[in-house]
Amino acid sequence: MILGKIYKSFRLGIIYLNDFNQTVLKRLIAEKNLEFIPLFEAKPHVFVGRENPLTKKKSITLEDLEDYPYLSYEQGDTNSFYFSEEILSTLQSKKHIQISDRATIFNLMVGLNGYTISSGIISSELNDEKIVAIPLEIDDSMILGYLKNKKIDLSKIAKDYLELLKQHIRNYGFEIYE
């Protein structure tokens, strides 16, 4: 996500804020005349392939991850870790592979026993139940929400999307901020 390039024309964007990125992102959000509307809070989860040995654990520590490849999305020209799609993106790892698309990251989770760290919400419709989310034992959380331009009302399709998104989130047992 690069706020500087998209703020004028976009209608809706989904991001997270946490203790690490919120100061920088809130400043950029305000500068670009955007508004962040929180949806819910989530604890970090590790996404791994269903056959990964880590799936035998009820929760995972950072030490448990040391011998597995860390997978993250490539962030483009700015490559700022404040814009990372993965929480805890600045942690050091022995093996780190940057990916440019969802299909590849899922394939590497399965094929290489790689992992990434996210909210814990994953769609079985998108990954055919090959990926599972396991809670990460860490004192951190993420507030997930959406961005909108303060000067432009959301379109009907954006509002419909938000309602579907909220229902999907509720289906995972999260309470939506209203």
Side-chain angles (χ1 to χ4, degrees):
M1 178 199 71
I2 301 172
L3 294 179
K5 292 183 179 177
I6 63 168
Y7 78 94
K8 289 183 181 179
S9 63
F10 93 107
R11 302 282 188 218
L12 182 71
I14 307 296
I15 67 167
Y16 76 89
L17 299 179
N18 70 343
D19 288 340
F20 177 75
N21 71 6
Q22 72 178 339
T23 302
V24 170
L25 291 183
K26 282 182 177 180
R27 187 188 77 233
L28 287 170
I29 289 166
E31 285 176 5
K32 304 302 181 187
N33 206 29
L34 301 174
E35 182 179 7
F36 175 75
I37 297 93
L39 290 171
F40 70 104
E41 182 175 5
K43 293 289 191 179
H45 283 66
V46 178
F47 286 10
V48 295
R50 184 164 298 286
E51 302 301 318
N52 188 304
L54 293 172
T55 59
K56 294 177 176 75
K57 296 179 167 280
K58 297 260 188 239
S59 62
I60 296 174
T61 66
L62 291 174
E63 293 78 29
D64 292 331
L65 298 172
E66 288 178 355
D67 293 326
Y68 295 91
Y70 172 59
L71 309 171
S72 67
Y73 286 104
E74 186 264 329
Q75 295 302 313
D77 295 337
T78 59
N79 202 22
S80 173
F81 39 75
Y82 294 113
F83 298 122
S84 176
E85 294 185 38
E86 303 83 23
I87 191 169
L88 306 172
S89 63
T90 59
L91 291 176
Q92 293 295 317
S93 59
K94 292 178 186 175
K95 303 171 195 166
H96 182 190
I97 302 170
Q98 290 187 317
I99 310 301
S100 63
D101 65 279
R102 183 193 59 79
T104 301
I105 204 167
F106 283 1
N107 285 335
L108 292 178
M109 281 181 211
V110 173
L112 293 180
N113 278 335
Y115 73 93
T116 194
I117 302 172
S118 193
S119 66
I121 294 179
I122 191 157
S123 175
S124 59
E125 290 86 21
L126 293 177
N127 69 51
D128 198 19
E129 299 185 7
K130 292 178 184 170
I131 307 299
V132 297
I134 305 167
L136 180 62
E137 295 177 24
I138 192 158
D139 185 26
D140 201 350
S141 66
M142 39 198 322
I143 303 294
L144 286 92
Y146 64 96
L147 291 176
K148 67 175 277 315
N149 189 312
K150 286 182 179 180
K151 295 180 180 180
I152 301 173
D153 290 333
L154 291 176
S155 65
K156 179 179 177 348
I157 197 162
K159 290 176 185 176
D160 290 345
Y161 171 80
L162 278 175
E163 287 310 309
L164 290 170
L165 179 63
K166 288 177 183 180
Q167 186 55 50
H168 189 70
I169 293 165
R170 284 185 196 102
N171 289 344
Y172 276 85
F174 290 96
E175 185 176 325
I176 298 289
Y177 300 141
E178 297 290 342

